[in-house]
Amino acid sequence: MIYLDNHATTRVAPEVLAAMLPYFTEEYGNAASVNHAFGWRAAEVVERAREQVARLLSCPAEWIVFTSGATEANNLAIKGGLSGTALAAGRTRARKTTPAASAVPLTNFVTNAAEHPSVLDVAKRFKRQGVGVTILPVDHHACVDPQQIADAITPQTQLVSVMLANNEVGTINPLAEIGRICRERGVLLHCDAVQAIGKITVDLQQLPVDLLSLSAHKFHGPKGVGALVVRRDGPRIPLEPLFDGGGHEQHLRSGTLPVPLIVGFGVACELATDQYDGKLGGLTSPARLADLRDRLWQRLQSELERLSLNGPPLSERLPNNLNFSVAGVDGEALMSSLKEIAVSSGSACSTAEPEPSHVLRAMGVSDSLSRASLRFGLSRFTTEAEIDVAVAEVVRVVRRLQA
Ligand code: PMP
């Protein structure tokens, strides 16, 4: 089977696996063990990985907080950010006003309808708990309008969360402009950059975001590790940890560090950095991904009828994403007939739910076209021959179902 579902997860790069292996076998020290060389060596490689992550993002290593992945990083940013800012605001008001006034929660969270469930479900939980939440609509390309963000920010708003790139249709949001608005208004901005890493440059010297989430398994690192990047070159960002415990990761994420996973994460970041610097050669470049993806779409369009592209024009989205609907076929029959290729309909993270994709729905795609949609995610391991097999398979299945 040909794997073309790289938005869901990616293959671990051989260099990543090789770097991790010794940390499962001989070098199994706890990075928090300060009394012996096993611990010192573990701490040393964790710090090296922190540098590798930081180099990829052009930020200092102290900004990196290792987590179990992006679901945790998103929860830490939003829940931790909101309770941290509410506590800080409460303390300020307590000094200035009466105790009764300081007990009123001063919180509002602004996000949008195309976010990953690890952001949207936090927003929904807040709503149930009585926290002010604004979930903005997106346009027919799943793009967030900066003006709508500006209009939604109130004096109560503490935090805005907007993803850099969408995991279903590859939309790249105007984060620079959204960041500028948030800074002007004194509101924190969190960004889920999971799908962007390794595909487009993410440079924290340029990108005005305060908190940024990433996950190793989306760019050829291992599953179960990621990071929240916490900007530290401005006013202190008040973040409350989700877990209490040993006080690891600057007291923001207690728990023994998964040293082998962190080592692999670091190497995956180094490979992504080398790819931008051209050190890995043309075969791994984002431009090559875009060429393969464009070839896939052109050939499908020339062979089949009634295909509609979901999301922005190909030149404006992530280079490895293609998402389209096939009119006149049953979505379930389409997915179950594709035996030779691993692709996804909607987001793999929500396939437990039979509901059509919330992103396509937010873009205004009908439920029946949503169900008959296919998402392709290419990776640096995808070959031209695989694209040709994928075209032949989709053409064969769609022709049969449309007949
Ligand atoms: N955000 C986005 C945009 C994602 O695509 C995913 C993974 N599907 C996540 C967050 C969650 O990442 P993780 O698997 O590391 O929890």
Side-chain angles (χ1 to χ4, degrees), residues 134-204:
T134 307
I135 300 178
L136 294 170
V138 289
D139 71 10
H140 66 293
H141 289 159
C143 196
V144 176
D145 176 4
Q147 187 55 48
Q148 289 197 5
I149 299 270
D151 295 344
I153 293 174
T154 69
Q156 279 71 41
T157 305
Q158 311 279 19
L159 182 72
V160 171
S161 180
V162 178
M163 66 193 342
L164 185 50
N166 185 272
N167 50 306
E168 296 196 29
V169 293
T171 311
I172 299 167
N173 274 314
L175 255 296
E177 200 176 342
I178 293 169
R180 191 182 47 73
I181 291 167
C182 290
R183 288 220 169 142
E184 269 170 25
R185 307 288 288 274
V187 172
L188 290 178
L189 175 60
H190 164 250
C191 174
D192 174 341
V194 166
Q195 296 287 343
I197 304 285
K199 286 32 165 236
I200 57 173
T201 312
V202 180
D203 177 347
L204 285 171

Side-chain angles (χ1 to χ4, degrees), residues 7 69-71 74 116 118 163 165 167 192 194-195 215 217-218 349:
H7 295 297
T71 296
N74 286 346
H116 186 264
S118 56
M163 66 193 342
N167 50 306
D192 174 341
V194 166
Q195 296 287 343
S215 179
H217 75 98
K218 305 287 185 173
C349 310

Side-chain angles (χ1 to χ4, degrees), residues 7 141 168-172 199-200 286-301 307-325 363 374-378 387:
H7 295 297
H141 289 159
E168 296 196 29
V169 293
T171 311
I172 299 167
K199 286 32 165 236
I200 57 173
R288 175 183 163 274
L289 288 179
D291 284 349
L292 284 178
R293 184 269 319 269
D294 293 354
R295 174 190 175 97
L296 171 62
W297 182 228
Q298 277 155 14
R299 295 203 39 204
L300 288 172
Q301 274 185 305
L307 304 186
S308 51
L309 187 66
N310 295 318
L314 295 188
S315 59
E316 291 168 28
R317 69 173 75 192
L318 287 179
N320 66 332
N321 173 273
L322 177 66
N323 190 316
F324 60 90
S325 292
M363 291 162 56
L374 295 177
R375 177 187 70 172
F376 287 77
L378 280 55
I387 293 295

